Every structure is written in C-alpha cells, then in structure tokens.
Amino acid sequence: MRRVRSCVFLTSLLVTAPLFAQASWQSIQNEAKGQTVWFNAWGGDQAVNRYLDWVSTEVKTHYDITLNIVHLADAADAVKRIQTESRAGRQTKGSVDLLWVNGENFRTLKEAGLLQTGWATMLPDWRYVDTTKPVSEDFALPTDGAESPWGGAQLTFIGRRATLPAALRDPQALFDYAQRHPGKVSYPRPPDFTGTAFLEQLLLSLTHDPDALKRAPDPHTLEQVTAPLWAYLDKLHPFLWREGNDFPPSPARMDALLASGSLNLSLTFNPAHAQQKVASGELPADAYPFGFEKGMLGNVHFVAIPANSSASAGAKVVANFLLSPPAQIRKADPAIWGDPSVLDPQKLPAPLAASLRQHTPGGLPVVLAEPHAAWVNALEQEWLRRYGTR
C-alpha cells in the first residue's frame, strides 16, 4: 500500500516540476530540509487532526521537514501571539510558521503588515487550483498572494430523515419547523465561526439591501440593513433549544445533540461532514446534508505565513504539499475528512482527476459570497448585545 501511495505522490511531482521555475523552487526545498515548521490550526475535529498527523508524516518522509501541529480552539489565539511578537520587535524567529486563518483574522494580520505576500501563486501546485473559486480574495479582501487555498467550505444544515424527512427551503421554512418542534432547533453561539456564519446566511436571505453587505457596514444604514435579521431572531428564539436562553458552544456539540435526539438539526461548514460522521459512527445513518434553495454561504479556507516565520521555506513546502493532488484527494475522501478540494479536476492528469471527482459532493446549493469581513464584528457585537447576556 505504501508503494502505491508513493507512486501516486511521485506522479504528482513529475507532472508539476517541468512547469515551474525549478531552480528557485529547488532552492526553497533545499533550505526547508531539516526545518521545523509550527503549523497553528483549528483542532476541534478529530478527522482534521488525524489528517494533519498524516501530513506531518508525509512531509517528514519526502522533505525532511518536522511539522508540529499546534491545535487551536480559536485561530484568534495565534493572531494575538503574532501581534504580541510584533509589538515586542520580534521580526524574525516567530513562534508561528504557518497558520490556518479565517477571513476576519486574515484582514487583521494583512492590514497590520504581519503576513508574507506574493508567495502563494508561485507554489508549483497552484497550477491545479480552480481559479473560478474565490481564491484571490478572502472576505472581499484581495489576498495578494499572502494566502494559499487548501479547502472549500459551505454552510450546511444536517438533518435526520426520521425527524426531518424533507430539506428546509428557506428561513421561513426553518421558522415554521422550529415552531412545530419547539426545543429541537438551535445554532452555535456567536462568536463561534459557524454561529456567526449562520447570522450572515440569514442576513443574506432576509435583508432588503444585499448590496450593502459587499461593503463595510455603514453606521447610517446599519440598523435598516440588519432589521429583518433581528426581527426574525426575535421570533425564532422562543422556539429554540432552551428557549433561546442558551446556545451550543460549537458545531461539534450540535452534532452530539443531534445524535442523542436532543436536537433535530446541526450545522457545519463542510458539505461532506454528515457523510464523514455517518461513516465514523458519530451520527446516525439517516443523517443528511442540505441547504436553502436559493443558496448557502460559502468560502475557501487558506493557510498563511507570518512575516516573522522562523521556517519560511519549510512553510511554503508544506503549503504546496497541502495543494498537491494526492493530499487534496485524500482530504476530500469522507472516510478521511471530507473537506472539499480547491483543485480543478480538468487541470489534472486523468487518473488523478477521476480520483478527485469520486470525492466531489454533488447536488450542492449555489454558493453565496460572504459579506465584507467587517460584518463579522458588527453582527457579533449586536448579537451579544441583544441576546448574549441572557
């Protein structure tokens, strides 16, 4: 089995190498040998953690890089560390070499000049990226080559056929269902990332001025733009789990409540999550994913390299490996993780394309672009003011 896997890996290298400036990439690989890369990544899912353990083994075997995974509850913790090091004048030998970063944290770091730029599009396996996906901007901010994509995401509901035979088409259908099944619906408490995304999803569906979400919130129109969201939540909350006075802290907790029958719905940012959790036995066999008929919020997730990384070359090699067809195919397999790929199968050799398509979910709703990054804080603060002190 090891031999077959190695052959696939080498095939990937062979089809990549001739198309890149080999001398410069070879020099990066040479510099990376023997380096230790500290990769700070969200650690809230065991499938993700197992996948990253596999990545660590592969980059050690093929590149002599020691990849240490720092499992984070919140990427903001790593951002604060990077900011603290910058304020202390630590311009080199930083404690974070590679960071799995969301749009809000990307904006914070990029605007402060704390990220390396221009490197991502120079990676050899960038050539395989599906550039029709939002890989050149993150939360409406240009990435400027400061982030390398490594997975897709889309907000997705999870229901059970036993308690929700048919998908809910829109926010009104969700409200009607919650009203008929009091205490069986909820969402993660903001500022949990998925909880905030749920607020954005509702706002995209309910607001009378969707174009306003493409820009930073305007204090003069903020109340008007968001009024339909708060009116909806005011009506919905009394029918939620614990009457809307408490909220699950995370999607993982919602999964557990769904599995136990305490909730009839869960939320995830991975369309293949339900299939992966059914395969692992963590969700019942009748669990299934669905989205609103007019689309669901979606994005691409990225890795970034802090400006003061102590192992910049090693971080680039790891980022390129995360983009490689073998790593992307393995990651997309629901039995492994089920995280959607950012590669375009049409750009791959036929055998690799077939393997990737095998793990590409079908029937997904239209992807709705995320609002401007500044909406995250605006929605979280107002949600906490209205509902967070109960």
Side-chain angles (χ1 to χ4, degrees):
M1 192 67 182
R2 170 85 178 184
R3 189 174 179 182
V4 171
R5 185 191 66 188
S6 297
C7 286
V8 173
F9 180 85
L10 290 173
T11 298
S12 171
L13 293 183
L14 287 172
V15 297
T16 298
L19 299 174
F20 186 77
Q22 286 186 324
S24 59
W25 183 246
Q26 187 60 53
S27 129
I28 290 172
Q29 286 185 314
N30 290 340
E31 184 182 348
K33 285 182 181 178
Q35 287 190 340
T36 296
V37 173
W38 292 89
F39 183 11
N40 285 235
W42 177 66
D45 188 285
Q46 289 307 307
V48 176
N49 296 339
R50 287 191 295 269
Y51 176 77
L52 291 178
D53 287 343
W54 172 80
V55 171
S56 297
T57 300
E58 292 296 294
V59 297
K60 181 65 174 178
T61 299
H62 297 290
Y63 301 110
D64 191 24
I65 293 171
T66 299
L67 184 63
N68 290 333
I69 311 296
V70 179
H71 299 289
L72 302 172
D74 189 337
D77 296 337
V79 171
K80 291 173 185 174
R81 207 171 337 126
I82 295 167
Q83 291 172 319
T84 299
E85 291 174 356
S86 175
R87 286 193 292 268
R90 190 170 168 181
Q91 302 304 311
T92 60
K93 298 184 179 178
S95 62
V96 180
D97 298 307
L98 191 65
L99 176 64
W100 183 2
V101 62
N102 65 28
E104 183 182 12
N105 292 327
F106 169 67
R107 179 186 63 165
T108 298
L109 293 171
K110 183 171 183 282
E111 290 181 348
L114 298 178
L115 294 177
Q116 293 188 27
T117 60
W119 60 272
T121 54
M122 299 300 293
L123 297 176
D125 284 343
W126 175 272
R127 74 189 63 257
Y128 299 130
V129 170
D130 182 353
T131 52
T132 65
K133 297 182 184 295
V135 294
S136 298
E137 61 177 36
D138 193 358
F139 271 66
L141 294 175
T143 60
D144 295 327
E147 291 185 301
S148 175
W150 74 299
Q154 187 172 24
L155 189 65
T156 305
F157 293 102
I158 302 175
R160 293 184 57 186
R161 297 293 181 189
T163 54
L164 183 64
L168 303 174
R169 298 175 56 185
D170 53 30
Q172 183 61 49
L174 175 62
F175 173 79
D176 292 342
Y177 183 82
Q179 192 173 34
R180 294 194 307 270
H181 301 85
K184 293 295 187 177
V185 173
S186 191
Y187 59 91
R189 176 186 173 88
D192 171 85
F193 176 78
T194 306
T196 302
F198 178 69
L199 300 183
E200 293 179 301
Q201 172 68 46
L202 291 176
L203 184 57
L204 283 166
S205 302
L206 297 169
T207 185
H208 304 303
D209 188 7
D211 287 342
L213 305 183
K214 299 176 183 178
R215 306 178 295 273
D218 182 342
H220 298 99
T221 60
L222 178 62
E223 183 177 352
Q224 177 183 351
V225 171
T226 59
L229 169 64
W230 309 125
Y232 177 88
L233 292 180
D234 285 346
K235 292 193 305 178
L236 178 68
H237 279 187
F239 300 105
L240 296 186
W241 180 70
R242 297 182 176 175
E243 298 180 336
N245 293 315
D246 193 13
F247 294 83
S250 67
R253 178 61 178 152
M254 287 194 70
D255 284 351
L257 292 169
L258 176 64
S260 70
S262 298
L263 286 179
N264 291 354
L265 282 176
S266 187
L267 270 173
T268 177
F269 228 97
N270 181 351
H273 180 82
Q275 185 180 356
Q276 191 269 328
K277 292 301 180 183
V278 168
S280 69
E282 296 171 74
L283 285 179
D286 66 342
Y288 71 100
F290 70 92
F292 288 155
E293 189 174 62
K294 292 186 177 179
M296 295 293 285
L297 188 78
N299 66 17
V300 168
H301 53 90
F302 299 83
V303 292
I305 301 175
N308 70 345
S309 167
S310 60
S312 175
K316 291 183 177 72
V317 172
V318 172
N320 189 65
F321 178 76
L322 293 173
L323 268 183
S324 68
Q328 287 281 306
I329 291 167
R330 182 181 181 88
K331 181 170 65 68
D333 185 348
I336 303 297
W337 176 359
D339 187 57
S341 175
V342 293
L343 302 188
D344 182 350
Q346 297 184 59
K347 296 180 179 180
L348 299 177
L352 295 174
S355 295
L356 183 59
R357 288 192 177 101
Q358 183 181 351
H359 301 312
T360 301
L364 297 179
V366 173
V367 175
L368 302 179
E370 291 177 302
H372 187 280
W375 280 96
V376 169
N377 185 63
L379 292 176
E380 288 176 350
Q381 293 304 311
E382 183 62 14
W383 188 95
L384 291 169
R385 187 186 73 80
R386 288 172 176 265
Y387 312 114
T389 57
R390 294 181 181 181

